[in-house]
Amino acid sequence: MKIRLLAVAAIASSAVLAGCSSKSGLEQSVADLSSKVDSLSNQVSALQGDVADVAAASALSYDEAARANERIDNMAQSYSK
């Protein structure tokens, strides 16, 4: 019984492996995935540029806010009761 079961399992597994060996479908899938990866790489590159722009604007805003706070502090010190 075990020998028959092993024989059937071996035949079934070889049939499954033979069915999975079609190269045209595999090549098409690889080509599709490659194009998607290229598209995502381009999007990431564009977003990295945007992040750099936002970081520069944030630093400029921080410096401007610090300068404004310093002016307010100087104005508050000049007034006294």
Side-chain angles (χ1 to χ4, degrees):
M1 182 70 178
K2 280 187 174 182
I3 295 174
R4 285 186 186 171
L5 184 60
L6 288 174
V8 170
I11 292 171
S13 64
S14 64
V16 167
L17 291 175
C20 292
S21 66
S22 67
K23 289 187 179 183
S24 64
L26 182 62
E27 289 173 356
Q28 181 62 36
S29 295
V30 168
D32 290 343
L33 289 175
S34 294
S35 67
K36 288 179 181 179
V37 167
D38 291 340
S39 173
L40 288 174
S41 294
N42 291 338
Q43 290 177 355
V44 167
S45 296
L47 289 175
Q48 285 176 341
D50 291 346
V51 167
D53 292 343
V54 168
S58 174
L60 182 63
S61 298
Y62 180 81
D63 292 342
E64 194 63 32
R67 191 172 69 89
N69 284 336
E70 187 176 324
R71 284 193 325 239
I72 290 171
D73 290 343
N74 288 339
M75 288 174 52
Q77 289 174 356
S78 64
Y79 293 112
S80 61
K81 287 186 174 182

